[in-house]
Amino acid sequence: MPLHVPPAPAPALRSVLAALGSPTAVRDARTPALQSVQGPLSPELPLPVHTLGGPGVLDHVTQEDRTTAPGSGTPRTRLTGWRFLIRSGDRSVAAADTMLTADGWTFSRFFEGPYLPSTERALRQAESLTTAYQPRLLSVPELYMLTLWLHGDTEADPGAGAPAPTDILVPLAPAPPGIAAHRPHRVAELLPVIGLRLTPAPPLAPAPAAAPAPPLLRTPA
């Protein structure tokens, strides 16, 4: 079923188009594929990037919730950017990030790497599903993890909201150890795994205090 790709904020799109038209921005990107392309380039498939993690993100979900009641807590996420695939003809050659500043949405960087084929593969997986979704990206910086987040409310504001238990997360490659890339998970299944990994290890118990040494016996003079 076709994905409901949300439109990006107009200033974000304009900033990417301006960067593509700037020889300096393209040269400084140091992405060989982007620099070697002949012909027009176009930013497509805009995806809002939401970030999970940081202080307090899962504070309201107890340890018992994470281990015995998956999905019982609502994760805290925030919109941190919009990402575009840069296409030359029918192939993606790079990606472009934008970020929100005090002056509005601005271009951040061009890059390439395993994200490109992994994202395209995950989007093809999503299009084969029988349910319609709104595609987003969910980043977990503490785990160096990025997932394609398939949100069930296709009419939702793409910059707001949190993953619902029935939403789907598809980890992109490379995924953290123990989490298979491109294996779809319900949020209620994968979130507890992520939450446990984000939970700091309990502090070690202090070592017991040493017993005081017995007093020295004095020899009578």
Side-chain angles (χ1 to χ4, degrees):
M1 183 170 289
L3 295 173
H4 291 243
V5 179
L13 177 58
R14 286 197 299 267
S15 71
V16 173
L17 290 171
L20 286 173
S22 167
T24 301
V26 173
R27 183 180 64 250
D28 292 346
R30 302 184 184 278
T31 57
L34 189 63
Q35 296 179 12
S36 62
V37 167
Q38 301 294 325
L41 296 167
S42 61
E44 299 181 11
L45 285 172
L47 296 173
V49 183
H50 293 253
T51 297
L52 171 75
V57 170
L58 296 172
D59 286 351
H60 63 307
V61 183
T62 67
Q63 182 68 26
E64 183 179 358
D65 287 336
R66 291 171 182 154
T67 56
T68 64
S72 59
T74 301
R76 299 175 188 172
T77 62
R78 65 188 187 281
L79 179 69
T80 54
W82 280 81
R83 184 167 291 180
F84 299 77
L85 294 183
I86 306 302
R87 289 188 177 272
S88 172
D90 60 353
R91 67 188 183 99
S92 296
V93 296
D97 272 349
T98 63
M99 61 182 182
L100 188 60
T101 69
D103 297 322
W105 289 101
T106 61
F107 169 74
S108 176
R109 60 168 182 154
F110 290 119
F111 66 98
E112 57 184 277
Y115 161 81
L116 296 176
S118 185
T119 300
E120 292 185 313
R121 177 181 170 182
L123 289 170
R124 288 194 299 270
Q125 286 180 268
E127 288 174 344
S128 69
L129 300 175
T130 57
T131 303
Y133 290 100
Q134 182 190 88
R136 306 177 175 190
L137 293 173
L138 183 64
S139 172
V140 188
E142 291 86 346
L143 300 182
Y144 300 97
M145 181 180 182
L146 185 65
T147 72
L148 178 65
W149 167 15
L150 301 177
H151 191 46
D153 185 355
T154 59
E155 302 302 320
D157 178 354
T166 55
D167 286 355
I168 293 177
L169 298 177
V170 184
L172 302 183
I179 297 178
H182 296 288
R183 179 179 177 183
H185 299 268
R186 295 286 182 186
V187 165
E189 300 168 351
L190 186 58
L191 186 64
V193 176
I194 295 175
L196 287 173
R197 295 194 179 195
L198 291 176
T199 303
L204 296 176
L216 295 176
L217 296 178
R218 293 187 178 183
T219 304

